[in-house]
Amino acid sequence: MTVKKVSSELSVNERAQQLLKVLIERYIQDGEPVGSRTLSRDSGLDLSPATIRNVMADLEDLGLVSSPHTSAGRIPTVSGYRMFVDTLVTLKPLEAGKIKQLETGLYSSADPKILVESASKLLSSLTHMAGLVMIPRRKQLTFRQIEFLPLSSKRLLTILVTTEGEVHNRVIDVRKAYTASQLVQFANMLNQHYSGLSMEAMHKRLVREMEQARKDMNQIMAQALEMAEQVIDPEIRGDDYVMAGQTNLMDFNDFSQMNKLRELFDSFTEKNEILHLLDGSMLAEGVQLFIGEESGYKALDQCSLVTAPYQVDSKVAGVLGVVGPTRMAYDRVIPIVDITARLLSTAMQTRKAK
Amino acid sequence: MTVKKVSSELSVNERAQQLLKVLIERYIQDGEPVGSRTLSRDSGLDLSPATIRNVMADLEDLGLVSSPHTSAGRIPTVSGYRMFVDTLVTLKPLEAGKIKQLETGLYSSADPKILVESASKLLSSLTHMAGLVMIPRRKQLTFRQIEFLPLSSKRLLTILVTTEGEVHNRVIDVRKAYTASQLVQFANMLNQHYSGLSMEAMHKRLVREMEQARKDMNQIMAQALEMAEQVIDPEIRGDDYVMAGQTNLMDFNDFSQMNKLRELFDSFTEKNEILHLLDGSMLAEGVQLFIGEESGYKALDQCSLVTAPYQVDSKVAGVLGVVGPTRMAYDRVIPIVDITARLLSTAMQTRKAK
DNA sequence: TATTAGCACTCTTGACCGCCGAGTGCTAAC
DNA sequence: GTTAGCACTCGGCGGTCAAGAGTGCTAATA
C-alpha cells in the first residue's frame, strides 16, 4: 500500500514535471501564458485538457506556476524556473559554427583588456542579450612595479604595474617638489621592497611601515610610502566589469515599462549591485544562475543573470555572464556562458601551454 | 513707397518672430502643440486668435512651424528651433548655486581622467539629460616616454606616457625573446630620440626610420622601432569620449518609440558618429548646436546636441556637451554648457595660474 | 480512483460608435 | 490690417458588444 502510494505519487510528480517542462519551454518560446489545450496537444502525454487543468492547479498550489488572470493560461514563477533549470532542462549543445566564432574572436589578441571586451561582445551577440565580463579582482593582483613622473612641480603622474600585466595610473598632488632623480629613487625603493606582493598585502604593509617611518623620523621613506599608499589605496577596492549589448535588452517587451528598464540600466552603470552578484559567483564551480528576485536586487527582479567563473593559469580570476529577461532560452544560454568561460580561460593563459 | 513696404514687412516679421519665440518657449515647456488661443492670451501682443492664425499660416509657409494634424496647434520645425536659438532666445543666467556645484565638483581633483568624468556627470545632473566630454585628441598629444616590461618570453607589456599625463598601455607579441636590459636599452633609445614629438609626427618619423634601419641592416634598431610603432599606431587614431546620464533620456516621452531610443543608445556606444560631430565643433569658438536632423545622422534626428570646446593651457583640447531631445530648454542648457566648458578649462590647467 | 466531457463563468481584446473639445481655414465685416 | 463668426476636421475618451481563450467545477466514465 505504502509502496504503491509512493510510486503513484512519484508518477504524478514525474508527469507534472514533464508538463512543467513543456509549459516553460513553450512560454520561453512564445512569451504568452500557456493554456491546457496547448499543453494537451504538445506535451506528448496524451492527456485531456481537463486533466492538465487539474495538474496545473496542483503546480499552482506548489508555487511553480501562476496565472496572470482568471481566464489566461499559466506562466512559470521564479520557483518554477528554478526547478526547470536545476533538474528539467535539456541543454542544447552549442553548434560548431558558434564555437568557431568564439574561438576566432578570442584567440586573436593577447591583451587582456581586449580579450575581456571581445568576450563580452561575443556573449552579447551569441545570446542577443547583454554580455558582461568581470575584470580580474584587484585584491588578488600582485604588485610588480611603480613609477613616478613629474607633471608640474607638485603634481605627479604615478604608474602602477601588476604582474598580470595591468597598468593603473593616477595623478596625485604632493606637498613638496621632488627632483626627477629623487622620484626614481623612491620608485626603486618601493619596487625592491614590495614587488611580488598582493595588492592587499602591500596595502597592509604600507600602512604599518608608514607608521614606523614616521616614528623613526625617516622623512624620505615616509614620503615615498605615502605616495605609494595614495596610488594603491584606490586600486585595492572595487573590481570592475565590462558590458556589451545592453541595448539588446530594449527589444524584449518583457521590459516594456520604461522605468523598469531605466532602473536596470542605471544599475549597470552604478555597477556595485552587479559586482556583488558577480563576486558571489566567483566561488561557485561552474555555471550559476540568478533568476528574477533571487538576486535580491530590485533593479534585477525582471531579469536573470547567468554566470560562470573563468581561470587564468588555473586560478579563478573573474566571472563572466549574460543578463536577460527571466524568460530566456536557458537551454541555449547556459552552454554558451559555460563554453565562453572555458575558452576565455585558455585564451588568458599567460604562458602558452601548447 | 518702397520704404514703407519694407518697414511694414519688417514689423510683420518682428511680430511673427515674437510669436515664434513665445510658441517655442511654450512648446518646450509643455510639449504640446500650441494653438492660436493660447498664443493670443500669453504672447503679450494683444492680438486676436484669428490674427495669430494668419501669422501662423505665414510661419508655416516659411517652414518654421508645422502642425501634426489639421486641428492641432503648431509645433516648431528644426528651422524654427534654429531661428530661435540663433536670434530669439533669451539665455537664462545660471544660478549661483549651480555654479558653486560645478566649481566644487571640478576643483576637487587633479587627475584629468577624473575631471572628465566629473564634468560629464555634472552636465548630466544639471541638465537632466546626457552629458558627454571628449577626451583630448590623441594626435595632438606629445610623446614623453615609453617602457617595455616582459610578461612572458615573447610577450611584452608596453607603457606609453604623454606629456599631458595620459598613460596608454598595450600587450604586444614579439618575434624573439629579449632580456630585461635589452628592453631598457630600447626604451632609452626611443625616449631620447622621440620625446617631445606629437604622436602624429612620431608616427611619421617611426615609419621613415624603420625603413632606414632595415636598409642599414641595423636589426636592433629596427626591432625597437617596430615595437614602438605597434604601440603608437593604435593610439594615434580615434579620439574618445566619456558619457554620463544616458538613462535620463529615457524619461522624455519624445523618445517613446523604443527602437528610436535604441538606435540612439547604440550610436553612443558605437561612438564614431558622435565623435565626428564633436570633432567638427572643436574648431568653433563657443557654444554650438546641432538640432535634430542637422547633425546628419539618423540616430540623432530626434535629438539636439549642445557643445562647447574647452582649453588646456589656452589651446583647444577637447569638446564637451549634452544630448537631449530637440525640445529642450535651450535657454538654460546653453549657459550650462558654456560655463562648464570654461570651468573645466581652468580646472585642467597643468600649471597653476594663481 | 484517475480521467474526461460538458458547462457556466471570467477575463481580455479589438472593433465600432458617438460625443466633446480644441483648433483650423475661410469669409465677411469692421 | 484686424477681427468675429462659422463650418469643418481630427484626436481622444468612454461605452458597448461580441469573439476567443481559458478556467473551475461537477458529473459521468473506464
Side-chain angles (χ1 to χ4, degrees):
Chain A
M1 186 64 179
T2 347
V3 175
K4 197 175 178 189
K5 205 166 193 180
V6 168
S7 95
S8 120
E9 262 181 38
L10 232 178
S11 90
V12 169
N13 282 345
E14 256 170 36
R15 193 179 64 176
Q17 286 191 358
Q18 169 66 8
L19 282 173
L20 178 63
K21 184 183 174 194
V22 176
L23 182 144
I24 295 187
E25 284 170 348
R26 187 84 194 193
Y27 179 68
I28 285 174
Q29 209 184 76
D30 306 348
E32 270 161 29
V34 186
S36 54
R37 259 175 62 106
T38 319
L39 237 37
S40 157
R41 228 188 307 107
D42 299 358
S43 69
L45 280 182
D46 198 33
L47 292 171
S48 80
T51 313
I52 303 230
R53 284 203 282 278
N54 290 329
V55 180
M56 286 301 124
D58 294 349
L59 289 179
E60 189 154 359
D61 287 344
L62 293 171
L64 297 171
V65 299
S66 72
S67 51
H69 60 87
T70 341
S71 81
R74 303 302 211 289
I75 62 176
T77 64
V78 169
S79 326
Y81 279 121
R82 174 49 65 189
M83 170 169 253
F84 178 71
V85 299
D86 281 349
T87 67
L88 302 176
V89 66
T90 45
L91 300 176
K92 280 202 188 135
L94 204 48
E95 308 110 67
K98 304 220 159 169
I99 298 184
K100 236 327 31 66
Q101 192 184 337
L102 274 169
E103 281 174 343
T104 53
L106 287 176
Y107 291 163
S108 58
S109 170
D111 194 325
K113 215 182 294 171
I114 295 178
L115 269 176
V116 158
E117 227 157 82
S118 317
S120 122
K121 277 185 196 156
L122 284 165
L123 279 171
S124 116
S125 87
L126 286 176
T127 61
H128 303 290
M129 303 190 287
L132 80 181
V133 180
M134 191 170 111
I135 288 161
R137 304 194 66 202
R138 295 286 154 76
K139 286 182 193 171
Q140 295 179 351
L141 295 177
T142 56
F143 173 73
R144 173 165 174 173
Q145 76 174 57
I146 199 167
E147 205 161 324
F148 301 106
L149 299 175
L151 283 179
S152 59
S153 62
K154 290 181 183 172
R155 190 169 284 184
L156 299 181
L157 172 64
T158 63
I159 303 175
L160 183 150
V161 185
T162 72
T163 314
E164 289 76 11
E166 282 191 40
V167 178
H168 305 278
N169 62 290
R170 171 161 271 101
V171 176
I172 63 172
D173 284 316
V174 288
R175 277 197 281 281
K176 64 180 281 255
Y178 297 99
T179 66
S181 64
Q182 273 179 310
L183 293 175
V184 170
Q185 199 186 329
F186 286 174
N188 284 341
M189 195 181 66
L190 292 166
N191 291 338
Q192 277 171 28
H193 204 57
Y194 296 104
S195 181
L197 260 65
S198 82
M199 296 290 243
E200 205 166 13
M202 180 172 172
H203 180 70
K204 279 190 190 130
R205 268 182 60 182
L206 269 177
V207 175
R208 182 147 33 88
E209 289 168 14
M210 220 153 73
E211 283 294 309
Q212 195 56 43
R214 282 222 189 82
K215 272 188 203 139
D216 300 353
M217 303 286 277
N218 187 341
Q219 281 285 342
I220 305 280
M221 190 69 177
Q223 288 279 6
L225 292 176
E226 191 183 334
M227 274 155 50
E229 167 70 2
Q230 267 191 71
V231 185
I232 88 149
D233 187 41
E235 294 302 336
I236 204 173
R237 58 174 122 267
D239 309 331
D240 199 4
Y241 63 79
V242 164
M243 200 150 194
Q246 302 163 54
T247 51
N248 280 339
L249 301 181
M250 299 170 80
D251 281 352
F252 297 100
N253 41 8
D254 306 44
F255 304 116
S256 49
Q257 334 89 312
M258 193 64 95
N259 50 347
K260 208 64 203 144
L261 193 62
R262 175 172 183 175
E263 210 177 325
L264 183 61
F265 279 14
D266 279 337
S267 86
F268 289 161
T269 35
E270 193 49 56
K271 289 196 172 180
N272 29 24
E273 297 190 348
I274 306 268
L275 275 174
H276 188 244
L277 284 177
L278 294 180
D279 218 60
S281 44
M282 286 255 298
L283 307 169
E285 189 60 19
V287 175
Q288 203 173 1
L289 286 93
F290 300 89
I291 302 170
E293 322 126 2
E294 284 182 357
S295 70
Y297 294 110
K298 192 163 147 278
L300 292 172
D301 65 2
Q302 312 271 16
C303 303
S304 286
L305 177 61
V306 182
T307 67
Y310 64 90
Q311 279 105 39
V312 174
D313 296 333
S314 56
K315 272 194 308 190
V316 173
V319 183
L320 54 74
V322 301
V323 181
T326 325
R327 173 178 91 76
M328 69 165 78
Y330 295 99
D331 56 348
R332 284 187 52 247
V333 172
I334 293 174
I336 290 176
V337 171
D338 188 32
I339 292 180
T340 310
R342 286 173 210 275
L343 291 180
L344 183 61
S345 297
T346 62
M348 284 273 233
Q349 227 141 266
T350 48
R351 55 202 85 209
K352 301 207 170 164
K354 261 192 198 172
Chain B
M1 187 65 181
T2 345
V3 175
K4 195 174 180 188
K5 205 166 194 180
V6 167
S7 94
S8 118
E9 263 182 35
L10 231 175
S11 87
V12 169
N13 281 345
E14 257 170 33
R15 194 179 63 177
Q17 287 191 357
Q18 169 65 9
L19 282 172
L20 179 63
K21 183 182 175 194
V22 176
L23 182 144
I24 294 187
E25 283 169 349
R26 188 83 196 193
Y27 180 68
I28 284 174
Q29 208 183 75
D30 306 347
E32 270 160 27
V34 186
S36 52
R37 260 176 63 107
T38 319
L39 238 37
S40 157
R41 228 187 309 108
D42 300 358
S43 69
L45 279 183
D46 198 34
L47 291 172
S48 80
T51 312
I52 303 230
R53 283 203 283 278
N54 289 330
V55 179
M56 286 302 126
D58 294 349
L59 289 179
E60 190 155 359
D61 288 344
L62 292 171
L64 297 170
V65 299
S66 72
S67 50
H69 58 86
T70 341
S71 80
R74 304 301 211 288
I75 62 176
T77 62
V78 170
S79 325
Y81 279 122
R82 174 48 65 187
M83 171 169 251
F84 178 70
V85 299
D86 281 348
T87 67
L88 302 176
V89 66
T90 45
L91 300 176
K92 277 198 190 140
L94 205 48
E95 306 109 69
K98 305 221 158 172
I99 297 185
K100 211 84 249 108
Q101 192 184 337
L102 274 168
E103 280 174 343
T104 53
L106 287 176
Y107 292 163
S108 58
S109 170
D111 194 324
K113 216 183 292 173
I114 294 178
L115 269 178
V116 159
E117 227 156 81
S118 321
S120 124
K121 277 184 195 156
L122 284 166
L123 280 171
S124 118
S125 88
L126 286 176
T127 60
H128 304 290
M129 303 191 284
L132 81 181
V133 180
M134 190 168 111
I135 288 160
R137 306 192 66 200
R138 295 286 154 76
K139 287 183 193 170
Q140 295 178 351
L141 295 176
T142 56
F143 173 73
R144 173 165 174 173
Q145 76 175 59
I146 199 168
E147 205 161 325
F148 301 105
L149 300 173
L151 284 179
S152 60
S153 61
K154 290 181 182 173
R155 191 169 281 184
L156 299 181
L157 173 63
T158 63
I159 302 174
L160 183 150
V161 185
T162 71
T163 315
E164 291 76 11
E166 283 191 39
V167 178
H168 304 278
N169 64 291
R170 173 161 269 99
V171 177
I172 61 172
D173 285 315
V174 288
R175 277 197 282 281
K176 63 181 281 255
Y178 296 99
T179 66
S181 64
Q182 272 180 310
L183 292 175
V184 170
Q185 198 187 330
F186 285 175
N188 284 342
M189 194 180 68
L190 291 166
N191 292 337
Q192 278 171 26
H193 204 58
Y194 295 106
S195 181
L197 261 65
S198 81
M199 296 291 242
E200 205 167 14
M202 179 173 173
H203 179 69
K204 280 192 190 131
R205 268 182 59 180
L206 268 177
V207 176
R208 184 148 29 91
E209 290 168 13
M210 220 155 72
E211 283 293 310
Q212 195 56 42
R214 281 220 190 85
K215 271 189 204 140
D216 300 354
M217 303 287 277
N218 188 341
Q219 281 284 343
I220 306 278
M221 189 70 178
Q223 289 278 9
L225 292 177
E226 191 183 333
M227 274 155 50
E229 166 69 2
Q230 268 191 71
V231 185
I232 86 150
D233 186 41
E235 294 301 339
I236 203 173
R237 57 174 123 264
D239 309 331
D240 200 3
Y241 62 79
V242 164
M243 201 149 193
Q246 303 162 54
T247 51
N248 280 340
L249 301 181
M250 297 170 81
D251 281 351
F252 296 100
N253 40 11
D254 307 50
F255 304 116
S256 49
Q257 334 90 311
M258 193 63 96
N259 50 346
K260 206 66 203 141
L261 193 62
R262 176 174 183 175
E263 210 177 325
L264 184 62
F265 280 14
D266 279 336
S267 85
F268 289 161
T269 35
E270 192 49 55
K271 290 197 171 178
N272 28 23
E273 298 190 347
I274 306 269
L275 276 173
H276 188 243
L277 283 177
L278 295 180
D279 217 61
S281 44
M282 287 254 296
L283 307 170
E285 190 61 19
V287 175
Q288 202 174 2
L289 288 93
F290 299 88
I291 303 168
E293 322 126 1
E294 284 183 357
S295 69
Y297 293 111
K298 190 161 150 279
L300 293 171
D301 65 2
Q302 313 269 16
C303 304
S304 286
L305 177 61
V306 183
T307 68
Y310 64 89
Q311 279 105 38
V312 174
D313 297 333
S314 55
K315 269 194 307 189
V316 173
V319 183
L320 54 74
V322 301
V323 182
T326 326
R327 173 177 93 75
M328 70 164 75
Y330 294 99
D331 55 349
R332 284 187 51 248
V333 172
I334 293 173
I336 290 175
V337 171
D338 189 32
I339 292 180
T340 310
R342 286 172 210 275
L343 291 179
L344 183 60
S345 297
T346 62
M348 283 274 231
Q349 229 142 263
T350 48
R351 53 203 84 209
K352 300 205 170 166
K354 259 191 197 170

